[in-house]
Every structure is written in C-alpha cells, then in structure tokens.
Amino acid sequence: MKNRILIIGMLAALALTACHSGHDHDPVAGANGDDGHGHAGEIVISKEKAKAAGIKVETVSPGEFSGVIPCGGKILATTGGEATVVATVPGIVRLARGITEGSAVGRGSTVFTISSDKLQDDPARQAAIAYQKAKNEYDRAARLVKDRIVTQKDFNSIRSAYESAKTAYEAYGGSGSAKGGVAVTSPMGGYVKACLVKEGDYVAVGQPMMTVTQTRSLYLKANVPERYYGQLGAIGSAKFKTAHGSAVYDLRQMDGRLVATGKQTADGSPYIPVTFEFANRADVAPGSFVETYLLTAPRQGVVSVPVSALTDEQGVRFVYVQTDPTCYEKREVATGQTDGERVEIKSGLKGGEKVVVSGAMQVRLAGASTAIPAHTHNH
C-alpha cells in the first residue's frame, strides 16, 4: 500500500513539471498534435501549430527607451513646396492628356488648354480688337504729346490702357483667334495634388485650376498639450502613425529635424506647436492628421515589448510568456509609456523571459478553448 501511494505521488510530481521538461506532455496528445491546457494557467500549443499560426517570441532584454509625449499632429507641405496653377485667359478647359491627381508634371509642361471657340463672344477676338484700338490710340497720343496737344497725364492713362490690352492680346498667343487653345503650364515640377476644375468647365482669368506639390520634404506639426510645457526642451525627435494604417514612421530614419518649438499656446488654443521637417519617405499626404509620439531624453534599463505583444481584457493588460517550446503562460503586466511601436513594462516581466510578440491573439484563443487538457492527472 505504501509503495502504491509513493508511485502515485511520483507520477503526480512528474505531471506537474512536465511543461518545463521540453518533452511531449501526453503520449496521446503528442501523437495527435492536439493543444489545450496543462496545469493551472498553462497553455499548450504544439510547435507545428504555433508555426502555422504565426506565433513568434522575443527574449525580453532591458535597454534604452525614450521618454514620450503623446499628442495629435498634422502633416503640412513645406514652404514653397506647393504652387497653384491659375487660368491666364477666360474660356473652356481641356485637360492635357494623362493629367490626373497624383500625376507627375514638369516645370513648364502644359497641364491645361483654355479655348474660347465655343463661346458666343470670343474673348480672343475681342482682345485682338481691343488691342488694336488701344494701339492706335497710343500711337496717336505719342505724336500729340510732343506738341503738348495731349497732356502728360492723359498720355500716361492711354499708355496704361494700351499695355493692359497688349497683355490680354498676348495671352492668346498674339492672334485674333483662340480656336487652337491657350496652353496653361505648371510653374514648378512635382505632382498634381488637386485638380480644381474638370474637362469642359468655364474659367475666368485668375481662377485656380490645379495645385502642384513637391514631395521632397514635409512638415510634421505636433500640437502639444500645455501640461507638457516643462518637457519641451527635451524633445529630440518624433514618431507618427496615420489614421488609415498601422505603420509607425520614425523621423530619425527620415532625415527628420526639429525646426521650431512654440514658447506659448496660440490664442484660444490649449496647445503649443512643435514643428519637424522630414524627407517624405512615408505613404502620407499633406493635410493628413496623425497620431504623434514626441521623443524626449532616453532612459536606460527599461523593459519594453512590441505593441503587438499586449492583449487587453476589461482594461487589464496581459502578455503571453513562453515557458518552454510548447508551453505558454498568461501574465498580467503594468504598462508605462509607448512610442507607438513598443510599450514600457513597469512590472510583470524580467530580462531573459520569452514573450509572444506575434500571434498573441491565437495563444489567447487557445487558452480560452474547451480542448481536452494535454495533461491528465487521473489515475
């Protein structure tokens, strides 16, 4: 009887420690590849299923982690980086072939043609008539002003009218007809940001038709809550994330530099502006609102994990720690600051532990499943 009790005790002890042995947990489960629960808090997933589910781990290693000021921000075009194409004459718009939003355009290249051949009152012909009339008047006044038959004041007025008529006439190419159309060119090379008119629209002189932008560099304008005023001097760089994607962009990898830090809030605003310039290597357009993480002085010896390692249950944060190649343990952690890519762990993890950084949701589902436990202690 004593021998039987001793044997049962030894088997129970082996079962409780099986998850840390690196061997199969149960002859039947190992053969079938089934996953499930081991002893309390233990989640068992075979190596094959973990690989298929994309489960990956990272060894925790305390290291450098910058202080973070979270805030909102906006991407802006750099000064001189945008230009507006305006109508030089009135008429009907025709777009150059292949011109759409996002198209590349060269400086001086034709983006529109404006024609007046379908208008009842042809402005090109009217401009030619007005020019000829103004020229005749100017030539006459130029002869008479020498003999003081026309006063200098009247002559200056006539000359001004002539120059205006000449400019309007030359805008149509110096002809009495605009049937061929007047070419409107881009004042700079870049990309079409916005087309403000469409084929067949009527435009007046000076009407905006298109915005062209250069994408060599952009501004990130962060709006910092005034409670962080004392930390503004420690800001060195920033990261940001757009609303339409999960990618986090690091200005340190995009030739980013701090160009301006506000000294006070704007009128009627509780925010202080902080502006960076960076090379546009991100899939982001001027005018986009972004989630911004301003980076301050770095701290050493900080434990951190990728954002993807965390799961949330009713406001409580958890990670999954790999205790051996097929066993995982759910662990509650206390989090600190985040830079959008990694999260500071204040407690719950220590250096050397292996944390699931990809596939945490699959491990969570495995832990919540009703699968038959891989270990059994019934004898």
Side-chain angles (χ1 to χ4, degrees):
M1 184 67 178
K2 290 183 179 179
N3 290 337
R4 180 179 176 83
I5 294 172
L6 179 61
I7 291 171
I8 292 173
M10 291 176 64
L11 289 174
L14 286 171
L16 288 172
T17 58
C19 196
H20 305 282
S21 67
H23 301 291
D24 289 336
H25 305 285
D26 181 87
V28 177
N32 297 331
D34 294 335
D35 303 326
H37 301 277
H39 54 265
E42 177 186 298
I43 302 169
V44 181
I45 303 177
S46 67
K47 293 180 182 179
E48 293 75 14
K49 288 195 174 182
K51 183 177 180 180
I55 296 172
K56 296 179 182 179
V57 299
E58 176 185 295
T59 301
V60 174
S61 178
E64 183 177 285
F65 193 86
S66 295
V68 181
I69 299 176
C71 59
K74 188 176 183 180
I75 303 299
L76 304 172
T78 54
T79 305
E82 286 192 358
T84 302
V85 179
V86 299
T88 55
V89 295
I92 304 300
V93 173
R94 290 203 304 267
L95 274 70
R97 180 172 297 182
I99 293 295
T100 59
E101 292 187 2
S103 299
V105 295
R107 181 175 181 178
S109 62
T110 300
V111 290
F112 294 104
T113 300
I114 300 177
S115 174
S116 59
D117 58 341
K118 295 182 179 180
L119 299 180
Q120 184 175 0
D121 296 324
D122 187 342
R125 184 170 178 275
Q126 292 179 355
I129 294 172
Y131 166 69
Q132 193 58 50
K133 180 180 179 181
K135 185 177 184 301
N136 293 338
E137 184 69 14
Y138 171 73
D139 291 342
R140 173 179 172 274
R143 294 190 301 270
L144 298 178
V145 73
K146 296 177 182 179
D147 300 327
R148 297 184 179 180
I149 297 176
V150 173
T151 65
Q152 188 65 43
K153 181 179 179 181
D154 288 341
F155 175 72
N156 290 340
S157 179
I158 292 170
R159 181 171 59 186
S160 178
Y162 162 70
E163 291 175 348
S164 296
K166 182 180 179 182
T167 299
Y169 173 67
E170 290 178 344
Y172 289 100
S175 68
S177 174
K179 290 184 179 180
V182 176
V184 180
T185 61
S186 174
M188 62 185 286
Y191 297 87
V192 178
K193 177 183 177 182
C195 230
L196 307 176
V197 294
K198 61 183 183 294
E199 186 86 12
D201 281 354
Y202 173 82
V203 292
V205 176
Q207 180 176 333
M209 302 173 70
M210 174 184 289
T211 303
V212 178
T213 181
Q214 291 178 325
T215 57
R216 293 191 184 98
S217 61
L218 295 171
Y219 284 139
L220 166 62
K221 181 182 178 183
N223 298 312
V224 184
E226 58 184 339
R227 67 178 179 274
Y228 293 110
Y229 179 81
Q231 300 182 44
L232 294 181
I235 295 173
S237 190
K239 295 182 180 182
F240 69 87
K241 181 173 65 175
T242 64
H244 61 268
S246 59
V248 177
Y249 299 100
D250 190 338
L251 297 193
R252 294 172 296 187
Q253 300 172 5
M254 304 166 71
D255 299 328
R257 64 185 185 92
L258 180 65
V259 295
T261 301
K263 301 303 180 184
Q264 60 184 16
T265 59
D267 292 341
S269 171
Y271 301 105
I272 302 170
V274 175
T275 306
F276 296 85
E277 184 178 3
F278 65 96
N280 187 17
R281 300 172 190 162
D283 183 19
V284 59
S288 301
F289 289 95
V290 294
E291 189 174 344
T292 307
Y293 309 91
L294 300 180
L295 307 180
T296 61
R299 295 171 289 148
Q300 302 298 326
V302 177
V303 172
S304 67
V305 297
V307 172
S308 59
L310 292 169
T311 60
D312 186 284
E313 295 181 25
Q314 299 180 339
V316 180
R317 297 291 185 90
F318 294 93
V319 297
Y320 290 91
V321 178
Q322 186 185 57
T323 55
D324 80 7
T326 58
C327 284
Y328 303 86
E329 173 190 311
K330 182 179 179 182
R331 184 87 58 81
E332 181 180 344
V333 292
T335 59
Q337 295 181 326
T338 177
D339 62 4
E341 292 182 294
R342 301 187 70 86
V343 180
E344 174 189 5
I345 303 298
K346 290 186 172 181
S347 65
L349 284 176
K350 61 181 183 294
E353 293 188 295
K354 294 182 178 181
V355 176
V356 174
V357 297
S358 178
M361 187 54 65
Q362 282 73 15
V363 180
R364 177 179 176 179
L365 292 174
S369 70
T370 57
I372 298 173
H375 292 275
T376 175
H377 304 292
N378 294 327
H379 300 279

